[in-house]
Amino acid sequence: MSDSLWFLLVGGLMLARGLTVTLLQRSPITPAMFYLALGLLLGPTILNLFHFNPLQESALLEVLTEVVVLISLFSAGVKMPAPIDVRRWRAPVMLASVSMAISVGMVAAFAYYVLELPLGVGVLLGAILAPTDPVLATDVQTRHPGDKDPLRFTLTCEAGMNDGSAFPFVMLGLGLLGLQDLGEFNLHWVLIDVLWSTVAGVVIGLVSGYALAHMARSLRGALPDQNLMDNFLGLGLIGVVYGLSLLIDAWGFLAVFFAAVSLRQTEFKLALSRQEPERAYVDSIPMQSQSARPGG
């Protein structure tokens, strides 16, 4: 398959997606269903026009998958309503931690006792199946920063965090299979894969989003637009945060999501601080005009 045909296919899909966005919103067909049907039509199943061997192209497929998930996580984080309400965040945090662990344990138990698979395979299977897919769940996530629907908020927030919270179980499954060092009494897994990688990912995301919002305001003289994907700031933040996370063995998906959340929250606070002096100036105008009147 030549590169020219792949460019034509990808470019045509992007144009078709952009031109039919209104039509797809009014129909029960989601973009994922459309792409799946087109893949079956053009692939080896029916017309056999395009070939892609996942085993031979596994490295490329891994990078493409990471890019798609990272952009989806960032988009979900930017749409988080501001300011943060701790009571609203309690449910998704519990879903991404306690419920995640229970789901992985149930899948691992079923795989071990019913399917008679090795315990490591069962844990790894649970870590793969338990997280909510942030890409496929886009249609039921928060649509914009002002969306106050509690169910959409919970699904969006949980989908943004569970990819990072599932990674420790992936490492545990690999360790049980002898492919990863868990350390004596599993201390390496607990201290590094669970505590360090999770906390470091959250901290990197929060600090990076906060820093970018302040840098954008000071260097550009105005608050960055909420739709950061239009001016490279969003893509740049994704790349820096994910790359830094990989360097220090932090969970990059978790870091990117919290970077977007931190960026959104900081923008909101900066907008409020900017509106207060403007409001004071506007409120002072009638008083000045009255004092300027004769006899005032």
Side-chain angles (χ1 to χ4, degrees):
M1 182 62 61
S2 63
D3 293 340
S4 59
L5 292 181
W6 279 111
F7 276 105
L8 287 173
L9 175 63
V10 175
L13 287 176
M14 291 183 177
L15 291 176
R17 178 68 178 93
L19 294 174
T20 60
V21 58
T22 305
L23 179 62
L24 290 177
Q25 288 178 350
R26 295 196 301 260
S27 68
I29 300 176
T30 64
M33 297 170 61
F34 171 76
Y35 293 142
L36 178 61
L38 191 61
L40 291 174
L41 176 64
L42 299 180
T45 304
I46 300 178
L47 297 180
N48 198 26
L49 297 178
F50 287 85
H51 305 273
F52 188 87
N53 191 323
L55 297 179
Q56 295 179 359
E57 305 292 341
S58 58
L60 175 61
L61 188 61
E62 179 183 2
V63 174
L64 293 177
T65 304
E66 288 180 344
V67 171
V68 172
V69 174
L70 288 172
I71 294 177
S72 178
L73 291 175
F74 185 85
S75 301
V78 169
K79 291 184 292 186
M80 288 289 97
I84 290 180
D85 187 347
V86 177
R87 292 176 299 178
R88 296 185 65 189
W89 278 72
R90 184 180 297 113
V93 169
M94 294 297 290
L95 287 174
S97 56
V98 178
S99 297
M100 169 71 68
I102 295 175
S103 299
V104 173
M106 293 175 63
V107 173
F110 180 84
Y112 182 76
Y113 290 106
V114 179
L115 301 181
E116 298 182 353
L117 296 175
L119 182 59
V121 175
V123 174
L124 189 60
L125 182 62
I128 295 173
L129 297 179
T132 305
D133 193 306
V135 179
L136 297 180
T138 302
D139 291 334
V140 294
Q141 290 180 358
T142 300
R143 300 186 182 279
H144 50 79
D147 191 347
K148 298 182 179 180
D149 184 271
L151 179 59
R152 291 184 181 277
F153 170 82
T154 302
L155 290 175
T156 305
C157 190
E158 188 267 343
M161 292 186 294
N162 62 19
D163 288 281
S165 61
F167 269 109
F169 296 103
V170 173
M171 305 307 291
L172 177 61
L174 294 176
L176 293 175
L177 292 174
L179 302 175
Q180 176 72 18
D181 181 22
L182 297 178
E184 189 176 2
F185 303 110
N186 295 334
L187 285 179
H188 182 275
W189 176 73
V190 173
L191 297 178
I192 303 300
D193 296 332
V194 178
L195 296 180
W196 163 257
S197 297
T198 301
V199 174
V202 174
V203 171
I204 289 174
L206 294 178
V207 173
S208 300
Y210 177 87
L212 177 61
H214 282 276
M215 289 175 59
R217 182 181 186 184
S218 61
L219 296 178
R220 299 170 58 186
L223 293 178
D225 188 78
Q226 291 181 359
N227 191 9
L228 294 175
M229 304 305 290
D230 292 340
N231 56 13
F232 294 108
L233 286 180
L235 292 175
L237 181 61
I238 292 174
V240 170
V241 169
Y242 192 64
L244 183 59
S245 300
L246 294 179
L247 286 176
I248 64 173
D249 294 328
W251 300 133
F253 288 168
L254 201 62
V256 169
F257 174 73
F258 276 99
V261 173
S262 176
L263 179 64
R264 166 66 180 152
Q265 301 298 319
T266 307
E267 284 181 347
F268 177 78
K269 295 178 180 178
L270 291 177
L272 288 181
S273 64
R274 187 185 181 191
Q275 290 172 1
E276 289 178 358
E278 292 179 353
R279 186 180 298 110
Y281 173 75
V282 172
D283 293 341
S284 66
I285 294 178
M287 298 176 61
Q288 294 175 357
S289 61
Q290 290 176 4
S291 63
R293 293 176 183 174

